[in-house]
Amino acid sequence: MSAVDAFPAAALSQSLRTWDAPDDDQSALRAAYRAFVARQGEAAARRDGGPEHLTASAFVLSEDLTHVLLCYHRKGRFWVQLGGHVEPGDPTVPDAALREAHEESGLTGVHLLTTEPADLNRHELASAFGACRAHWDVGYVAVASTADRVVVSDESEDVRWFPVDALPDEAPDDQSSRVAYAVARARAALGAR
């Protein structure tokens, strides 16, 4: 096993090296993420690796890219994309995002469009999140059918489809731009097929 393939954080850092960031802010975050992984090593991808660690999320879009599936986060008290911690059995960060999408939505037909990130989002956390103080989230794009039955997990109070241009008021301030990055990444991935 090479050093790059040794753990999810190293593979992520390698993929970010050539990632086409959607804007200058995301490009600056890419450099910060790579420095974080270099500093933290394997611990960057572990929940028990310290108060700051990588998380993986999935912007689950409808097949026509007009809707996004959001969950009402029990601890955060807001609507966000599906996601969570990278677990020991996750071979890569994109695999963690897909696992979280399955777990939090119950959708069996959800799949990633690409293993390239849609966006990066480092955010501080309130005390309701326990020992976690900051998440270095990596968002990926997935698609699913809106006809499939959604199941609410224990981590959420609700899971619902929303138009990508009409997100709920109880979403974080940056949620609209994150969803826009996801839609743009999805269009690029579908156009390349």
Side-chain angles (χ1 to χ4, degrees):
M1 180 180 296
S2 73
V4 169
D5 297 326
F7 55 94
L12 173 66
S13 182
Q14 181 69 17
S15 73
L16 288 178
R17 191 164 50 109
T18 58
W19 177 56
D20 184 20
D23 61 30
D24 290 343
D25 290 340
Q26 288 287 294
S27 185
L29 271 174
R30 173 182 51 206
Y33 271 57
R34 293 194 74 227
F36 173 69
V37 170
R39 212 172 38 252
Q40 296 296 109
E42 183 176 353
R46 292 197 332 251
R47 180 190 325 213
D48 65 355
E52 297 191 24
H53 40 264
L54 294 169
T55 57
S57 65
F59 292 91
V60 179
L61 301 173
S62 59
E63 293 166 325
D64 64 1
L65 309 183
T66 62
H67 287 76
V68 62
L69 187 64
L70 301 178
C71 68
Y72 192 77
H73 197 281
R74 190 175 299 282
K75 289 181 184 176
R77 313 301 302 162
F78 43 61
W79 289 97
V80 290
Q81 74 280 5
L82 309 172
H85 292 99
V86 178
E87 300 292 343
D90 295 325
T92 66
V93 178
D95 288 321
L98 185 58
R99 176 187 50 74
E100 287 287 344
H102 285 293
E103 289 176 0
E104 294 186 358
S105 71
L107 294 173
T108 57
V110 64
H111 64 276
L112 293 179
L113 278 182
T114 176
T115 57
E116 286 190 356
D119 84 329
L120 305 173
N121 183 275
R122 183 193 177 280
H123 49 273
E124 304 287 330
L125 300 167
S127 61
F129 287 83
C132 297
R133 288 294 163 247
H135 282 166
W136 295 70
D137 189 56
V138 185
Y140 295 89
V141 180
V143 293
S145 171
T146 56
D148 291 345
R149 183 174 173 263
V150 174
V151 178
V152 179
S153 77
D154 292 341
E155 295 177 33
S156 306
E157 289 188 10
D158 198 0
V159 178
R160 232 186 280 172
W161 291 99
F162 292 92
V164 295
D165 58 356
L167 300 182
D169 290 338
E170 300 87 8
D173 291 341
D174 61 355
Q175 196 68 21
S176 291
S177 62
R178 296 192 76 193
V179 168
Y181 291 144
V183 171
R185 184 67 64 184
R187 286 186 178 132
L190 291 170
R193 290 184 181 179

